[in-house]
Amino acid sequence: KKSMDIVEHLKSGAALDLSKIILTEGEVKLVTLVLTGRLQIEDLGPLLYLALNSPEMDLVAATDEFYSLSEQQLKANSHAQSPSEMVLLQPPPLAVINLSFTDIGDYGMETLSEFLYADNAALKTLDVGFCNISPRGMMSLCQGLKKRNMRCLPPLQGLIISGNTISYEVAVQLGIALSAEPVRNKRGRDGRRLSFTNNDDDCEGRDSPTASQSNGATSAYKSNLSDGLKLLYMGSTSISPESLNALLSGLGPSCPLQELRLQSN
């Protein structure tokens, strides 16, 4: 009963469910633009019109162009002279993102990892199960989670990465990235300090407009570290006992993990 309550809680809230839809390279980029707030729903029409009416430009090329323009806009915004000149990114307040069986692969994970550290304090559950992600793509996931911590955004409470490949190095980095503890005092099995910190004093962008907008959610997280990882599914990931031990060591004793699935390993 308790396990079912956890699952139901982690499935609640606004959700984006693209499960079992094979995403192309252009579609992955479009999803990333939307999830990071760079592309609003009203912008989809003009972008698709551009792609459909430009013989020399397919969806990928049109999306690349939009990426380029959005990057230029972001750089221009960062040099704005007053708050009124800033155009703030507004990622959709999604609590659950399900990309399972979308076959996004390493490229998709590298591209989509950006939304993990966008200003989306509401995000609590991510499902990228059976997406054909190798250790290379999983490292991109780890980097995205680390940046999320360093920006003092609330940690994920549910992560489903079944059906992808977890190497020893990925396990080490994933444990650190998902840890509910400040890392400044943590040491690896060799006695050396771990290489990154999610210390509150080291938060990136704490004075930026986007950081201040998520102030309430972040403050709640800082005051209640029990809102950390509760559910982790890693079935069919070829994770070895040594790798599992490294991951759990990285999570630390204060991680509020309540459900761990490792079937078919």
Side-chain angles (χ1 to χ4, degrees), residues 165-227:
T165 306
I166 298 179
S167 65
Y168 178 80
E169 182 59 29
V170 167
V172 171
Q173 296 301 319
L174 188 60
I176 297 171
L178 292 170
S179 175
E181 298 180 3
V183 183
R184 61 180 179 272
N185 295 322
K186 291 184 68 177
R187 295 179 181 273
R189 288 183 295 176
D190 58 1
R192 293 184 298 180
R193 284 189 178 179
L194 299 174
S195 59
F196 111 97
T197 175
N198 59 358
N199 180 2
D200 290 347
D201 295 332
D202 295 331
C203 291
E204 293 180 356
R206 60 187 307 118
D207 297 321
S208 68
T210 52
S212 63
Q213 284 197 341
S214 58
N215 224 10
T218 358
S219 298
Y221 161 51
K222 291 176 185 177
S223 63
N224 186 11
L225 287 176
S226 65
D227 287 339

Side-chain angles (χ1 to χ4, degrees), residues 30-31 33-34 39-52 59 63 66:
L30 280 175
V31 171
L33 286 172
V34 171
L39 182 67
Q40 303 300 316
I41 296 301
E42 57 268 24
D43 296 325
L44 286 174
L47 178 56
L48 292 175
Y49 182 85
L50 173 66
L52 292 172
L59 183 58
T63 308
F66 202 96

Side-chain angles (χ1 to χ4, degrees), residues 232-249:
L232 180 60
Y233 289 177
M234 298 189 296
S236 304
T237 56
S238 301
I239 189 169
S240 66
E242 183 182 24
S243 298
L244 178 60
N245 181 59
L247 191 153
L248 295 177
S249 296

Side-chain angles (χ1 to χ4, degrees), residues 25-26 35 37 46 59 75 84 93 103 132 138 145 151 188 198 200 234 249 253:
E25 186 175 310
L35 291 178
L59 183 58
K75 290 178 181 178
S84 62
D103 200 28
N132 194 28
M138 294 300 293
L145 291 170
R151 293 188 177 188
N198 59 358
D200 290 347
M234 298 189 296
S249 296

